[in-house]
Amino acid sequence: MAETDDLAYDDFALDAEFAAFRTGLLDQITPPGPDAVRSTVRHRRRVATTTGLALALVLVIGPVAAVASLNHTPNPSPSTGTTADPTPSPTVAPTPTPSTAPTTPAAPDGRISPTELRGATVDLPAWRPGPGCPDSGARLTAEGVDDGDNVLVKTAYGDIDGDGATETVALVRCMVGQAGPSQVVAFDRDPAGKIVTLGQVVRSDLNTPQWLLDLQVRANGVVRVQVADLAPGGGWDLDWSQRQWRGYTWNGQRFTQSEGERSFPDNPYNMNLTVTATDLVYGAPDDGGTRTGEITVTMTNVGPTAAPRPRLDFKLTPGGGGSSASPGWYACQEHSMQGEHLYCGLPPLEPGQERKLTFHIVTMGQTPTSGTLALRTLDKDGKIAPDFSDWDNQIDIRIR
């Protein structure tokens, strides 16, 4: 009986739930009529609007997704169980092959051997003013024989104009006596292989440099030339000349000095002394037959360098003589006053300085009939230093 009551209670409760559900559902259902029609129209408009927006979104997103797919590499390993539809690759226009730009022809090789250079006819830049050698249509020789010969002294090689090819630099000397002019010339080849003159690097001058000795070409194209202040010859030894290395660079039109000194200091060996003298006048002999002569000597330093140890040298023949008390001999710091050769060592003579001394010379027996007088200077080692122009520092002595 209790079980039957429980079932009846459950049925009652279930009926109550369904009744509540129907009541709530009826509130959501619109009965047929104008309200139902308006509801249906509003529903269809919402569906149409939603569909239009969705379609527009697809039209916008589609191209964007397509562009994105071109810029991203597809995942090579799709998820297991998912097969992606293959995306057609966009057609890419073929890239045109660029046309090959015209290449600049390589510069001709300007390395010219000494043999080939001597066998060619070349045009040389102008020599220094004065007597010289041919420059137009010149031939170079290995050794100078006659005046007017252009001697090829030395060659060097390097890229001096920056074109990537080698050029030839030559030291050429003109034969004019013992100390002709010299110049350094750069040669190249034209596209046909003919030897052409690029330009003059440097040339000797009547002042300085008077002599060119050597040349080199560095890896950076600088042409280095060894120059000397004074040329050899006329009693001047090249060992007495000062030397410098100077560098020259091609600027596209000519060579300009880019390294080294541009002038020389005074040459310590470049003495230029002059001497003049009165006649050597002898008086009457004394009771013993001795005669005393007197001579006044004027010494001048006309050179740019001080004479550190000037010396007067007398030579009297025949018989010679000796010294006698006089201002000249008193001024000597060192001397020899007996025999054919008499000399007097004096204090330094500065540039432009003049010194005048009177000497008494004594002879016994035969009186000298001729003589010479020379003015020289000694170097620091006691050797006779050169004189730049030795023709005016030695004179003949007139005796009476």
Side-chain angles (χ1 to χ4, degrees):
M1 185 65 182
E3 187 178 17
T4 302
D5 292 338
D6 292 338
L7 290 175
Y9 177 78
D10 291 338
D11 291 339
F12 174 79
L14 186 58
D15 290 339
E17 290 294 332
F18 274 110
F21 176 76
R22 284 192 300 270
T23 302
L25 186 58
L26 288 175
D27 294 336
Q28 305 297 325
I29 297 174
T30 303
D35 293 336
V37 173
R38 284 192 293 269
S39 176
T40 301
V41 172
R42 286 194 300 269
H43 173 72
R44 289 178 180 177
R45 287 178 178 173
R46 285 195 299 268
V47 170
T49 302
T50 303
T51 303
L53 291 174
L55 180 58
L57 185 61
V58 169
L59 292 177
V60 172
I61 295 176
V64 175
V67 173
S69 65
L70 290 177
N71 296 328
H72 293 80
T73 303
N75 186 357
S77 303
S79 303
T80 304
T82 302
T83 302
D85 293 335
T87 302
S89 301
T91 303
V92 180
T95 302
T97 303
S99 59
T100 304
T103 58
T104 302
D109 184 7
R111 178 181 288 272
I112 308 166
S113 69
T115 301
E116 185 179 3
L117 199 55
R118 287 193 296 265
T121 300
V122 297
D123 291 331
L124 297 175
W127 295 98
R128 74 185 185 194
C133 294
D135 46 27
S136 179
R139 299 296 296 265
L140 306 182
T141 63
E143 295 180 359
V145 178
D146 302 317
D147 280 358
D149 286 347
N150 286 306
V151 182
L152 178 61
V153 180
K154 185 176 181 179
T155 55
Y157 304 94
D159 182 9
I160 59 178
D161 59 3
D163 65 354
T166 299
E167 286 78 41
T168 301
V169 184
L171 171 58
V172 183
R173 184 162 293 130
C174 171
M175 290 297 296
V176 179
Q178 295 180 340
S182 50
Q183 63 175 308
V184 173
V185 185
F187 295 101
D188 202 353
R189 295 185 194 272
D190 62 14
K194 180 183 176 181
I195 297 175
V196 294
T197 302
L198 185 62
Q200 184 181 80
V201 180
V202 64
R203 72 181 184 186
S204 62
D205 194 80
L206 292 174
N207 294 315
T208 60
Q210 294 183 0
W211 198 250
L212 309 183
L213 299 101
D214 201 358
L215 77 158
Q216 304 170 348
V217 179
R218 291 216 308 248
N220 60 358
V222 174
V223 180
R224 301 182 71 234
V225 182
Q226 188 182 38
V227 301
D229 58 346
L230 303 176
W236 181 267
D237 194 308
L238 189 59
D239 289 340
W240 301 329
S241 299
Q242 297 179 105
R243 307 183 184 195
Q244 295 175 351
W245 280 98
R246 299 180 181 180
Y248 301 85
T249 303
W250 177 252
N251 66 6
Q253 296 179 335
R254 61 189 179 90
F255 287 92
T256 58
Q257 186 177 348
S258 56
E259 296 179 0
E261 301 292 334
R262 296 179 180 271
S263 62
F264 284 96
D266 292 337
N267 191 308
Y269 295 107
N270 185 15
M271 307 299 166
N272 195 356
L273 306 178
T274 65
V275 62
T276 59
T278 64
D279 294 348
L280 175 56
V281 180
Y282 279 95
D286 60 14
D287 294 340
T290 300
R291 301 181 66 187
T292 300
E294 182 178 283
I295 184 172
T296 299
V297 179
T298 301
M299 299 159 281
T300 308
N301 183 355
V302 297
T305 307
R309 297 170 62 185
R311 191 176 82 170
L312 283 171
D313 289 302
F314 297 89
K315 183 178 181 181
L316 303 172
T317 57
S323 65
S324 177
S326 59
W329 296 112
Y330 290 149
C332 299
Q333 293 182 331
E334 54 181 349
H335 52 76
S336 171
M337 298 180 293
Q338 192 68 40
E340 278 193 358
H341 296 278
L342 311 177
Y343 72 83
C344 170
L346 296 163
L349 197 62
E350 299 298 324
Q353 183 179 0
E354 179 183 280
R355 183 177 294 151
K356 184 179 291 188
L357 297 173
T358 299
F359 295 89
H360 290 172
I361 296 177
V362 178
T363 63
M364 293 175 289
Q366 186 177 3
T367 301
T369 58
S370 64
T372 58
L373 174 62
L375 174 61
R376 298 185 176 92
T377 187
L378 305 181
D379 62 18
K380 62 181 180 180
D381 298 322
K383 298 179 181 180
I384 295 178
D387 192 285
F388 186 69
S389 56
D390 57 3
W391 59 270
D392 59 357
N393 58 350
Q394 181 170 316
I395 60 173
D396 293 327
I397 298 176
R398 293 179 299 181
I399 302 173
R400 58 186 175 89

